[in-house]
Amino acid sequence: MHQNDLPLISVIMPVYNGERFLAEAIESILAQEYTNFELLILDNGSTDGTPDLLSHFARLDSRIRLLHEPNPLGYGGEVASNIATKQAKGKFIAKLDSDDIATPDRLAKQAGYLMDHPDVFLVGSQLTLINERGQVTGTRLYPLTHEEIYNEFYLRFPIANPAIMYRNDLSEDLYQIRFPHFNDYYSLFRLLQEGYRVYNLPETLTAYRVHTTNTVFTNLRTKWRSNVAIKKAFVHEFGYSPPWIHQLKIVAITWVINLFPEPMLIKSMNKARQLINA
């Protein structure tokens, strides 16, 4: 499909005190091969140099629209994303975190897939992992088909939330705020339960930056409890039946998290995930 046939895309980027990596994230969107997009950036009460950096980029490119919330909204940017989405004009909405990088062909490939597959509501991709200096450290691979994604939902979040694109036709917020953390995990599973179909492209279209200030790598025990509570909701609210081996793996990860002191948990948890492919 020719890129000129693709509709307007709204890219949603919430940011809180993100000046360290923000320029790279914005530049990766401005460098997209497909150019019919708007970039909605919601400054979520930043107190660092983020506002000045955003003003600079907005002066350079009229496709950037700045939104502002005076106080941090919390919940890992999910509330901010809901607010920004209400302002989105695009037929499709793409997410990108303010410390990640989109490949130049990301918007074109994901929008093209949604145009060619009208039965699919949301499309993700694989991830390249990068460190604080932008060096590639690995990949994070996800299942492709709707059925494979559904079958892995108890074991892990089988969709990379910073790499999704979806249709802008929901009658309610994408992110339902029910838990202290990881409401994206709960919300996307809820969509599947409601009959929305999803797919992950096989390409790595987003570089996910792993660094010590990632929100996912702070207060690990507290966040893991939220993760487990969400898994229990899958079972008790929606009647999800996870494979026994997935249940066993979650027990193993919980054991690791409870065993080590908090400062050691990032390294030990990542090692455990690699060993059991979670």
Side-chain angles (χ1 to χ4, degrees):
M1 179 174 293
H2 195 276
Q3 290 190 15
N4 290 337
D5 296 329
L6 298 178
L8 177 69
I9 299 166
S10 296
V11 181
I12 302 295
M13 183 186 294
V15 57
Y16 171 69
N17 287 350
E19 66 172 326
R20 184 179 180 190
F21 305 115
L22 179 59
E24 289 182 77
I26 294 174
E27 288 166 353
S28 77
I29 296 300
L30 299 183
Q32 289 295 298
E33 296 170 358
Y34 179 69
T35 59
N36 187 23
F37 65 82
E38 59 173 359
L39 174 56
L40 276 70
I41 309 176
L42 192 148
D43 177 19
N44 194 8
S46 295
T47 57
D48 63 355
T50 292
D52 291 338
L53 190 58
L54 292 178
S55 297
H56 166 74
F57 274 102
R59 288 192 296 269
L60 295 178
D61 199 306
S62 61
R63 293 172 298 180
I64 296 176
R65 295 170 56 201
L66 301 183
L67 306 173
H68 178 71
E69 288 289 327
N71 300 306
L73 299 170
Y75 293 100
E78 291 150 8
V79 174
S81 293
N82 285 340
I83 292 172
T85 298
K86 291 180 173 63
Q87 303 295 321
K89 300 175 182 178
K91 181 174 182 178
F92 301 144
I93 292 176
K95 288 290 303 295
L96 185 71
D97 288 344
S98 62
D99 51 359
D100 297 336
I101 299 173
T103 61
D105 56 349
R106 177 186 158 183
L107 295 185
K109 285 189 173 180
Q110 289 186 308
Y113 184 88
L114 289 176
M115 292 292 287
D116 291 340
H117 299 83
D119 61 318
V120 173
F121 171 75
L122 178 149
V123 62
S125 77
Q126 314 303 308
L127 292 181
T128 299
L129 303 181
I130 59 175
N131 62 18
E132 296 182 357
R133 297 181 297 278
Q135 298 168 327
V136 175
T137 60
T139 56
R140 186 171 295 170
L141 302 180
Y142 296 93
L144 302 184
T145 70
H146 178 91
E147 290 73 22
E148 291 169 337
I149 291 168
Y150 181 81
N151 288 337
E152 281 201 17
F153 242 101
Y154 184 88
L155 177 63
R156 60 170 179 160
F157 192 0
I159 301 170
N161 187 57
I164 63 172
M165 181 182 288
Y166 60 95
R167 301 180 188 277
N168 188 14
D169 57 9
L170 284 176
S171 60
E172 58 185 352
D173 290 337
L174 174 65
Y175 300 114
Q176 300 294 303
I177 308 302
R178 274 200 46 189
F179 297 89
H181 309 282
F182 307 130
N183 288 285
D184 52 350
Y185 184 33
Y186 173 80
S187 299
L188 266 63
F189 181 82
R190 179 173 170 267
L191 284 178
L192 268 67
Q193 289 295 123
E194 293 179 356
Y196 291 90
R197 294 192 64 79
V198 300
Y199 184 82
N200 282 322
L201 294 175
E203 298 94 341
T204 54
L205 300 179
T206 296
Y208 177 77
R209 194 184 302 270
V210 178
H211 55 94
T212 54
T213 54
N214 279 120
T215 57
V216 72
F217 294 132
T218 57
N219 301 318
L220 286 176
R221 283 201 180 92
T222 298
K223 290 179 178 177
W224 183 251
R225 285 194 289 268
S226 284
N227 188 299
V228 172
I230 292 168
K231 297 178 192 301
K232 291 179 179 178
F234 295 165
V235 174
H236 299 302
E237 291 183 26
F238 302 111
Y240 186 74
S241 297
W244 69 267
I245 189 64
H246 291 181
Q247 299 179 59
L248 185 61
K249 288 182 177 183
I250 295 306
V251 170
I253 293 176
T254 302
W255 180 83
V256 169
I257 287 176
N258 290 331
L259 177 66
F260 289 94
E262 185 85 16
M264 297 176 60
L265 282 180
I266 294 176
K267 183 179 293 186
S268 59
M269 188 181 73
N270 283 336
K271 188 65 175 178
R273 290 182 61 174
Q274 293 171 11
L275 290 173
I276 63 180
N277 192 30

